Amino acid sequence: MENTVKNDKILISTHKEGNLYFSVAISSSSNKIVRIALPNYMKDITIAEISKDYPEFKLTNKHEKTAEIVSRVYNGEKLHLNPELLDLEINESSPKKSPVKTLFERKVLLQTAEIPFGEVVTYKCLAEKLETHAYRAVGTALGKNPFPIIIPCHRVVKSDMVVGEYRGGNEMKKELLKNEGVQIKGDKIIPG
DNA sequence: TCACTGGCCACCT
DNA sequence: CAGGTGGCCAGTG
């Protein structure tokens, strides 16, 4: 059992790339990533995003390397981060404490992790792979993705190829896609 | 239990 | 094309 537990210490490390800050949160007991913050021009905002779920944390540079990897992936480097490093477990005794809270969310995230660099799939397609018609629920689950960028929820788009929504905003989603070579015109993916 | 809310979809003007 | 409508179903309170 390696999921987050009550007295776990959460370590937050930040890396600056260009004028953006990238923060990651790692559990000191499992040594796994429990949260990745979306990049921001303000360091404090990335930390605040995490501290909302983990009020008791410690700032450290111990995991800055991990935050740097996130920043490099954001900027379009095709890097592989071992999915084992993400805490995808569901804590049965208190699911609310774990980054991923339900089986459905986990299945959606794992399926999303399969989408190759530079490619997109639709919410519908993802739902069908999970053998459900809960298209909207797929979107909702991705909206709560604790590991944005690394679990590439930005590669999931609407059925009409419009880019769609993103926690960090529609523009950030488009930038992420452009960074990995996806052609976009207006709000629409150009099939390639 | 029930009602409501979504990072959606299909279908209709 | 744009905008509206009803439908889908997992989570939430």
Side-chain angles (χ1 to χ4, degrees), chain A residues 117-128:
Chain A
F117 181 92
E119 294 181 24
V120 299
V121 306
T122 67
Y123 291 98
K124 182 186 182 185
C125 170
L126 212 53
E128 281 171 352

Side-chain angles (χ1 to χ4, degrees), chain A residues 27-94:
Chain A
S27 145
S28 60
S29 63
S30 70
N31 219 32
K32 292 194 177 194
I33 301 172
V34 293
R35 188 60 182 273
I36 296 171
L38 289 165
N40 199 283
Y41 298 103
M42 307 268 293
K43 180 178 178 175
D44 286 351
I45 290 180
T46 65
I47 294 170
E49 183 185 335
I50 296 171
S51 66
K52 209 178 159 196
D53 285 324
Y54 300 99
E56 303 202 13
F57 62 88
K58 233 182 121 176
L59 294 177
T60 164
N61 59 4
K62 191 177 170 192
H63 295 104
E64 186 183 341
K65 204 84 191 153
T66 306
E68 186 193 342
I69 289 172
V70 175
S71 78
R72 289 168 64 183
V73 174
Y74 180 90
N75 286 298
E77 273 191 63
K78 191 175 175 178
L79 289 175
H80 179 72
L81 186 83
N82 188 349
E84 291 287 307
L85 294 177
L86 305 176
D87 182 1
L88 291 160
E89 298 300 315
I90 298 164
N91 185 335
E92 310 87 358
S93 47
S94 55

